[in-house]
Amino acid sequence: MTERRPGRREERNAETRSAILRAAEELFSAQGWQGTRITEVAARAGVATATCYNHFGSKHALIGHLFAPRIAEAVARVEDRIAACAEAHEIVRVAVDEMVVMLKVRRTLTFALFAALHEDAIRSDGPPRGPGDVRMIAQIPLILELALQHASDVLGLDLDADRTARYHTNALLLQVLTRPDSTAGDIRDFVLLQLRGALVPPYEATSEEAQVLRVEAP
């Protein structure tokens, strides 16, 4: 069966979407969350403001879509380590490393994302309102949740991977945003140290496999 090639209209839509995302990344990076308006993004991308809204729905969704592909790539790398039968502690380290690098390298963008996350949380008074909520688009905790769920299964733990991942993702975000002088390694080790207690099997705490995170206390 011959694979259908994208039509010209689909190609134009993809090009427009890419141009909007590039413009948004440049402006959020240079001007921050409060300083950037959709009208400015549209002007830089060379499209109408309505076109931005047609593609992304809102400024909050737009910042979410800047992070979504990076999150998907990080999830894929964690899945690769699981498929390769890596040890649980290595997979958790990989997940935390992916999150730290993604958030710290683009710290100004991370500030913008953090602002959007909090605004959507306040507007919805708690849970995400739907697929356009930035928390549904940029699901950073999924990276760590995948690793924690695998570690929980391997180590025989009764761990709420979703809730634990969200808690420690928030801690990681705050470390990135409030401690600019900390290195990526410092932040990674801080998060791993906080996770260590949750991932030690209660029935075999001295075994080699139980030393899931192997992080020295500072």
Side-chain angles (χ1 to χ4, degrees), residues 153-190:
D153 293 342
V154 168
L155 299 171
L157 303 175
D158 183 19
L159 178 67
D160 186 335
D162 172 71
R163 189 171 182 177
T164 305
R166 291 181 185 281
Y167 178 86
H168 290 284
T169 298
N170 286 336
L172 192 157
L173 268 168
L174 288 173
Q175 286 290 309
V176 169
L177 297 178
T178 63
R179 301 181 69 88
D181 294 332
S182 293
T183 66
D186 290 338
I187 296 172
R188 178 203 63 202
D189 286 352
F190 171 82

Side-chain angles (χ1 to χ4, degrees), residues 28-190:
F28 283 133
S29 297
Q31 301 176 179
W33 174 252
Q34 297 294 339
T36 300
R37 296 177 297 171
I38 287 287
T39 53
E40 294 175 296
V41 174
R44 178 163 295 202
V47 301
T49 300
T51 301
C52 281
Y53 284 111
N54 287 339
H55 278 272
F56 296 101
S58 70
K59 179 179 167 182
H60 296 73
L62 181 53
I63 187 68
H65 282 288
L66 279 175
F67 278 86
R70 294 158 182 160
I71 294 167
E73 291 169 2
V75 166
R77 284 189 280 270
V78 173
E79 289 175 334
D80 286 344
R81 298 312 301 147
I82 292 173
C85 299
E87 292 184 5
H89 78 273
E90 179 191 339
I91 294 168
V92 173
R93 279 180 178 274
V94 167
V96 175
D97 272 334
E98 290 286 343
M99 294 165 68
V100 171
V101 170
M102 178 177 64
L103 297 172
K104 187 168 176 60
V105 168
R106 302 172 182 86
R107 189 166 172 268
T108 307
L109 275 182
T110 300
F111 266 107
L113 177 65
F114 188 73
L117 290 168
H118 276 262
E119 286 184 8
D120 267 358
I122 292 169
R123 291 194 300 179
S124 69
D125 194 25
R129 297 168 299 147
D133 192 300
V134 66
R135 291 168 293 172
M136 296 297 292
I137 300 167
Q139 297 191 53
I140 298 173
L142 282 180
I143 304 167
L144 183 56
E145 180 185 349
L146 180 64
L148 291 178
Q149 188 58 64
H150 175 75
S152 180
D153 293 342
V154 168
L155 299 171
L157 303 175
D158 183 19
L159 178 67
D160 186 335
D162 172 71
R163 189 171 182 177
T164 305
R166 291 181 185 281
Y167 178 86
H168 290 284
T169 298
N170 286 336
L172 192 157
L173 268 168
L174 288 173
Q175 286 290 309
V176 169
L177 297 178
T178 63
R179 301 181 69 88
D181 294 332
S182 293
T183 66
D186 290 338
I187 296 172
R188 178 203 63 202
D189 286 352
F190 171 82

